[in-house]
Amino acid sequence: MKHFLSLDSFSKTELQLIFEQALAMKAAQKRGETTFMLPNQTLTMIFEKPSNRTRLSFDIGMTQLGGSAYYVKGDEVGLGTRESVEDVSRVVSRYSDFIMLRTFRHEVLEKFAKVATVPVINGLTDQSHPCQAVTDFLTIIEHKPNWQESKVVYVGDGNNVCESLIKVCDIMNVSITVACPKGYEPKTLSSFLTVTDDVSAAVSNADVIYTDVWVSMGQEDEHEERVTIFKPYQVTMNLLKQAKPDVIFMHCLPAERGFEVTDEVMESSHSVIFDQAENRLHAQKAIITMLGGVSYE
Ligand code: CP
Ligand code: NVA
């Protein structure tokens, strides 16, 4: 049994299979075909932070696969407060075929997965967001037929989304540059990664410009300080003009318009943010069927 806690335990071949399967399921969906690959199977989703995309894409994705999903709010379960993390995991494992957990500390997810008897999926921790990264790469493949040669540039905070994006680029052997203020660098190491605080130099020749919020969930107390520090890293039309003419703009959403990105960029023809959001559905259906041992042949 395999969990989906981080991209570390996935090879290039496995990720390629996920991308192929996601694209096949997306095409089937567009043709109006059913893809009941997990009939009557259940996913329990525990959220200790808010969500729009992750919750809905997993829930609707399970329905499209012939199964169902159940949403539980973290403060109701009381992971580690009302009950031990391990006891919750053992109990939920008895009811479900899959579990998705969105939590703060990555160690809690690991503790949960250690005793789970069904596959556990990382729905975002302070450290990583692997479902998002798989989706992001799928979106790059769709928009950049020569994705192998692409230069991906992430501008902003070296946060969970950035860390997973570096990881997926590393596995897929695609070069990525992160432009961030000193002290906010990502921790993930990769021979495909360049880190700089010079945003103009970073975006030169970029095929993809990606950003995320300056203040992640759980960092609300740092809002004022972060907004000041990250101000020079706002993605503007002027920044996009310094990249390749066909550069695409990506954001995992939710966005704080007027902070990390302008309205103009969000609404521009470069923006693929809603393709990205849609692809959460298909990428996660591919991930969950793979974890469920569904044969793709
Ligand atoms: N991108 C993403 O994970 O969005 P939600 O927080 O709305 O799930
Ligand atoms: N970095 C953001 C991503 C939200 C999907 C956060 O953790 O809040």
Side-chain angles (χ1 to χ4, degrees):
M1 184 191 73
K2 199 161 173 163
H3 297 303
F4 191 80
L5 305 186
S6 92
L7 293 173
D8 287 321
S9 43
F10 290 84
S11 65
K12 185 175 181 181
T13 311
E14 283 172 307
L15 286 189
Q16 260 161 343
L17 214 56
I18 291 176
F19 299 137
E20 277 167 31
Q21 184 59 16
L23 290 171
M25 289 202 272
K26 183 173 181 177
Q29 186 73 30
K30 302 279 177 204
R31 289 193 300 267
E33 291 168 15
T34 49
T35 49
F36 287 170
M37 296 162 88
L38 295 173
N40 303 320
Q41 299 216 16
T42 53
L43 165 74
T44 298
M45 308 182 287
I46 305 173
F47 281 89
E48 292 199 304
K49 296 178 179 180
S51 171
N52 174 10
R53 282 144 288 271
T54 306
R55 177 183 180 177
L56 280 176
S57 55
F58 267 112
D59 193 338
I60 293 167
M62 278 306 285
T63 304
Q64 291 180 356
L65 291 169
S68 49
Y70 298 87
Y71 168 82
V72 195
K73 252 182 118 169
D75 56 8
E76 208 170 319
V77 177
L79 265 186
T81 51
R82 185 168 184 263
E83 227 172 330
S84 78
V85 172
E86 289 89 344
D87 284 355
V88 175
S89 177
R90 288 189 187 104
V91 170
V92 180
S93 291
R94 298 285 181 111
Y95 300 143
S96 326
D97 298 295
F98 306 92
I99 305 169
M100 193 235 76
L101 175 60
R102 169 170 285 196
T103 186
F104 291 84
R105 286 175 37 242
H106 195 80
E107 297 71 36
V108 170
L109 176 76
E110 285 173 340
K111 206 190 245 194
F112 188 100
K114 203 167 175 190
V115 297
T117 53
V118 298
V120 175
I121 299 165
N122 178 353
L124 180 146
T125 67
D126 291 344
Q127 188 177 304
S128 59
H129 198 0
C131 291
Q132 182 68 53
V134 168
T135 304
D136 298 338
F137 210 87
L138 178 70
T139 312
I140 293 173
I141 291 172
E142 279 186 320
H143 285 274
K144 297 283 168 197
N146 295 325
W147 57 267
Q148 289 91 341
E149 317 301 328
S150 283
K151 179 184 177 186
V152 177
V153 179
Y154 178 96
V155 179
D157 188 16
N159 62 15
N160 45 7
V161 166
C162 176
E163 301 277 10
S164 293
L165 190 67
I166 295 168
K167 198 77 233 168
V168 77
C169 287
D170 179 72
I171 299 169
M172 299 308 291
N173 302 351
V174 164
S175 82
I176 173 162
T177 300
V178 173
C180 60
K182 287 198 169 65
Y184 293 86
E185 295 90 351
K187 292 182 185 66
T188 304
L189 301 173
S190 164
S191 53
F192 292 90
L193 171 67
T194 307
V195 180
T196 175
D197 61 356
D198 185 342
V199 65
S200 278
V203 298
S204 156
N205 233 15
D207 298 281
V208 177
I209 296 182
Y210 195 124
T211 193
D212 183 18
V213 287
W214 296 338
V215 184
S216 284
M217 291 180 278
Q219 297 175 332
E220 289 78 8
D221 290 352
E222 299 171 38
H223 195 279
E224 212 177 300
E225 180 192 346
R226 282 178 164 268
V227 165
T228 310
I229 292 169
F230 284 101
K231 210 160 183 64
Y233 293 84
Q234 185 182 59
V235 178
T236 59
M237 284 310 283
N238 186 39
L239 200 70
L240 251 56
K241 282 191 192 113
Q242 298 173 50
K244 284 193 183 154
D246 62 348
V247 66
I248 56 169
F249 169 72
M250 301 181 73
H251 194 308
C252 58
L253 304 180
E256 278 208 72
R257 288 168 179 252
F259 288 89
E260 75 273 10
V261 59
T262 61
D263 267 330
E264 214 183 347
V265 169
M266 291 282 280
E267 302 298 335
S268 76
S269 58
H270 298 280
S271 175
V272 299
I273 53 175
F274 299 114
D275 293 345
Q276 231 181 312
E278 177 187 347
N279 280 341
R280 292 292 300 275
L281 184 62
H282 308 293
Q284 287 158 193
K285 283 191 292 185
I287 291 168
I288 209 160
T289 49
M290 183 206 59
L291 295 176
V294 172
S295 169
Y296 291 165
E297 299 342 309

